[in-house]
Amino acid sequence: MEQATLDSVAVTKEQILIDYRIAWESRHASLLARKEVFMGKAKFGITGDGKELAQIALARAFRKGDWRSGYYRDQTVVAALGELTWQQYFAQIYAHTDLEAEPNTGGRMMNGHYATRHLDEQGHWLPQTPRYNNASDISPTAGQIPRSIGLGYASKLYRQNPDLQQFSDFSIQGNEVCFATIGDASTSEGMFFEAINAAGVLQIPVVFSVWDDGYGISVPIRYQTTKESISEALAGFQRTAEKTGLEIITVKGWDYPGLVEAYQKASELARTQHVPCLVHVEEVTQPQGHSTSGSHERYKPKERLEWELEMDCNRQFRLWILENGYATEAELTAIENDAAKVAKAGRDAAWQAYLASLKPDFDAAMDLLAQAARESRSGEEVMALRSALQKTQNPLRSDVIEAVKQAIRALRFEETPTKPLLIDWINRTKHENWVRFNTFLYSQSDESPLRVTPVAPQYAEDAPFLDGREILNKNFEALFAQDPRIFAIGEDVGKIGDVNQGMAGLQAKFGELRITDTGIRESTIIGQGIGTALRGLRPIVEVQYVDYMLYTLATLSDDLACLHYRTAGGQKAPVIVRTRGHRLEGVWHSGSPMAVLLHALRGMHMIVPRNLTQAAGFYNTLLRGDDPALVVEPLNMYRSKERLPTNLGDFCLPLGHPEILREGRDLTIVTYGSMCRIVLEAAEQLAQVGIEAEVIDVQTLIPFDLPHMVAESVQKTNRLLVADEDMPGGASAFMLHKILDEQKVFRFLDSEPRTMSAHPHRPAYTTDGDYFSKPNTEDVFDVAYEMLHECDPRRYPALGYEISDWSFSGSRWWKENDSVQK
C-alpha cells in the first residue's frame, strides 16, 4: 500500500521514533491487559490496539487548552499527550481506588476511561488552558458525542463574547479545539447524527474522529452504515464555497504521514476558522477483537484476519520507517523490546501498589481473627474462616469483610476481648469504603448549592402583582446582568423568549450569544450545556416541556448526573436544565414523568416549585452553586398573579427545605408543584367538615426535606397522605420512602400512611380527561376524609360512595372481569 509523504508536515526523525516507541508501548499494554483479565486479576478489558497510529497523529495536533471528548479505546491519545502512565493504565484495570494511583476515576470506572482532574481537593476549578483536557469518558456508545458540541461551542462563546475574555483560565480567545472520537459502528446512533448536524449549524471547532475497523462487535459495516462509509453517507454535510458545513477528510489508519497531515489540516481549520471537521480513519484493525469477552475469530473470515495481520498499523509504520531510512531494523527491534519492558514495569508497579493498598486491612483482620479464635468457644469455626481467607487468591476488600462479619456472627453469644476489636474494624472499614465508593454524587465543596446562604424575597409595601412569567423574566434579566458567564439556549428561547415568555425581550437586550434559539435536538441541547459547563460557563438549557425530557435521558443520566461521582470529584458541570410541566392535558403532554427523572438523574438536584417566584429563588441559588439541577416550572402559573420582589436576582431559596402552606392538627398532606393548589383547595373543603389538614410543599424532591419537617408534622397529626400527579409508585413512593425509611415516622402513625397519584396510564385529553386521570380536589378530600372516618366513624360518618383506588395495580380489573379467569 502506498503511503503519503511528510513533505507538507514538519516531523523530525526524533519525533518519528518517539511515536514508534509510544505505539509499541501502547500495544504491549493492550496485550498485557488482556492477559491480566484472563488471569483473574481484572474483571474486564477493552483496549485500543490497532488504533495507535491514528491516535498518535491526533495527539500531535493537540494543543494545551484543547479537549478530548472520547472513546474508551483512546489510551494512545492520552499516553502520547503525557496524561497517562502505564502504571496508571493498569491501576485502572485493577480498580485501585487511590487517586494518587488512579487519578482518572479513583477506581470507579473500568479501564479505558480517562478524565483530567479539573478540581482541587476543595472542589474548586483548576486552570484548564495550561492542560491537555480530557472530558470523562463514558461507556454508552456515542454518549460522548453530545457534550463535544458544548466543548466546541464554549470556544465560540469565549471568542465572540468580549465579556468572557477575562476568564483566561478556561480559554485563550476561543482558540481551543474539541477532538471527539467514536467507533464507526456507533456512528449509527442518533446522537452522532444529531451532533454532526448541530456542529454544522453552529460552526464550532470540533474535530470528529471515526475509528473505522469495519465491525460493530460482530456486525460488519454493511449492516451498519449507508454506502458502507460514514464519510460517503455524510457527503451532503461537506462545506462548499457557497455554504458552510463540515470539512470531511478520509485517511487510512496505517498511513502515518497521511494521518499526521490529516490531523494538522483538521485542527488548523477548526482552531483558526471554527470549521467543524470529520476525519474518517479507514482500514483500522482490532488485533485482539472487541474485548476480553470473546474472540473476533468467531465472526471475522480468514481473509479479513490475514489482512488485519498484514495491515496492522504498527507493522506498516515499521515498514515505512525502514523504507525511508529513519532507523535500522536493529534500532526498531530495540525500541520494541524496550517498549515491552516499559509496559511490563507499569503493570508490575500497579499490581504491587494495588496489593499494598489492601494489605493493612487484610493483615489487621487476619491478626484479629487469630486472636478471636484463641479466645472463643467457636474458635474452630473462626479459624476455618481465617484459613479460607488466607487461601483466597488475590483477596478483595469484600472477601475480608465477609470473613470478619461471619466471625462476629459466630461470636454472637460471647463477649470475648477481641470481639469489640472486630466490630471496630468493621465500622472503620465501612466508613473508609463509603469514602472509596460512595462519595461525590453531589458537590462536597464550599460552593455546593446546599451551602448557599438563604435570602428571603423582599417586598415593598406597594409591591405590584404581576404575572408569574413577568417575575421570572425580570429575575432572569437581573441574573444575566450580574454574570457574563450565564447564557441560555433552547427551542424558541431566543427571539420569542420561550413559549411562555419567561425570557421575552432578553435576547434583544443581551444579544444572541447570551439567549440563543436551537433546533429541535434535545440530546445535543443537553450536550451543549454539559460541554460549556465543563469549561467554566453557566448554561441554562431549556427542554421545552417535561415530557420531552425523555429525549434527554441517556445524555443526562449517563454523562451529566454521574460526572462528579464517576470522576471521584475530579470534574463538575453545573448545568441548569429548565423545563415546565404538571397538569398538562393529553397522552403526549402528560407533564409528569417524575419517577423516570427521579431515578435516572441521581446526581442532579430536582426542583419542583409551586409558583414562579419560587422558581426564580431557586435559579438564584443554583447559579451560586456548583451542582447540576433540573427545574420543573409549574405550567399553569405563568399567568397567575404574584407579588414582585424588590431583590430580584439576589433572593435565594434553600434546597431541601419544605414550606408549611397550611397548619393543621388532624393529618399531614405532603405534595409539591401544581398539586399544591389542588391540595390547598381540598384542605379548605376539609376544614368545612371539621378536618384540619396540614399541607406541606416539599419544594425540592432532591434533596428531600433535610430538616425532617414532615416528621415533625406527623408527630403532631399522626396521619400521613402523600399526594402526587405522577403514576403510582413514582414520586409518591419516593417521598414515602424518604418519610418512612429515613425520617422513621412510623413511630408517630395512628393510621396507615396513604399515597395518591395519577392512574397508571397517560392522561386523557381535555379538562375531563385530566380530571379523571389525575388526582383532583374531590379525590384529595375523599381520601383524607376516609382516613379520619377510619379512626372516628361517628364524627366522620361514611360518605357512602366508592373512593378512588390510588394504589391501582390492575387487581381491580382482575376482580371485575373474573369471568376471564373462569
Side-chain angles (χ1 to χ4, degrees), residues 123 131 146 152 156 193 242 265 301 359 386 392 477 522 528 534 553 646 660 745 766 812:
R131 297 165 176 262
K156 180 175 182 175
F193 282 96
E242 296 76 28
K265 176 183 177 181
K359 195 172 187 301
R386 185 183 186 278
T392 301
E477 182 178 354
E522 283 81 6
Q528 226 168 313
L534 277 167
L553 277 184
T646 57
I660 297 175
V745 301
T766 75
R812 177 174 173 179

Side-chain angles (χ1 to χ4, degrees), residues 92 102 105 107-111 113 136-139 566:
Q92 191 172 67
E102 205 283 86
T105 75
R108 295 183 179 192
M109 297 182 70
M110 70 178 190
N111 77 294
H113 293 75
S136 173
D137 296 320
I138 61 176
S139 291
R566 71 177 187 268

Side-chain angles (χ1 to χ4, degrees), residues 458-477:
Q458 299 171 6
Y459 298 94
E461 289 186 10
D462 58 347
F465 282 83
L466 304 180
D467 286 352
R469 64 183 175 84
E470 295 179 271
I471 291 175
L472 190 61
N473 180 281
K474 291 178 182 298
N475 193 77
F476 279 138
E477 182 178 354

Side-chain angles (χ1 to χ4, degrees), residues 576-719:
I576 297 177
V577 182
R578 178 190 179 214
T579 190
R580 52 190 65 83
H582 305 316
R583 307 316 293 197
L584 284 137
E585 298 176 1
V587 169
W588 305 120
H589 289 80
S590 54
S592 300
M594 301 304 293
V596 177
L597 303 175
L598 272 169
H599 298 296
L601 304 184
R602 300 299 173 92
M604 295 178 67
H605 298 295
M606 190 170 296
I607 316 301
V608 283
R610 67 180 182 275
N611 61 44
L612 279 306
T613 303
Q614 272 195 310
F618 285 123
Y619 283 122
N620 297 341
T621 299
L622 293 169
L623 285 164
R624 286 164 172 78
D626 63 352
D627 268 330
L630 169 66
V631 180
V632 184
E633 297 172 10
L635 186 63
N636 56 4
M637 293 300 293
Y638 290 107
R639 297 189 182 279
S640 294
K641 299 299 182 183
E642 301 177 31
R643 292 179 72 199
L644 178 66
T646 57
N647 54 342
L648 291 168
D650 294 324
F651 70 95
C652 297
L653 299 186
L655 276 57
H657 288 256
E659 183 178 350
I660 297 175
L661 304 183
R662 190 184 195 282
E663 294 189 356
R665 63 176 183 274
D666 295 318
L667 83 159
T668 299
I669 306 179
V670 178
T671 192
Y672 66 88
S674 294
M675 276 294 292
C676 290
R677 175 182 57 82
I678 291 169
V679 170
L680 284 171
E681 289 174 358
E684 290 298 320
Q685 295 178 13
L686 287 165
Q688 295 171 15
V689 297
I691 298 173
E692 294 296 333
E694 185 145 292
V695 179
I696 297 180
D697 173 14
V698 301
Q699 303 199 96
T700 67
L701 287 169
I702 299 176
F704 181 86
D705 188 11
L706 298 175
H708 292 191
M709 288 177 61
V710 174
E712 292 179 13
S713 176
V714 175
Q715 187 171 9
K716 175 177 61 175
T717 67
N718 308 119
R719 292 171 189 85

Side-chain angles (χ1 to χ4, degrees), residues 666-667 686 691 719 751 754 781-801 803:
D666 295 318
L667 83 159
L686 287 165
I691 298 173
R719 292 171 189 85
S751 303
R754 297 283 298 273
F781 178 97
D782 290 345
V783 173
Y785 186 90
E786 185 181 50
M787 293 174 71
L788 272 296
H789 162 74
E790 289 170 356
C791 70
D792 194 347
R794 285 191 297 180
R795 186 175 179 185
Y796 307 107
L799 298 174
Y801 53 80
I803 304 298

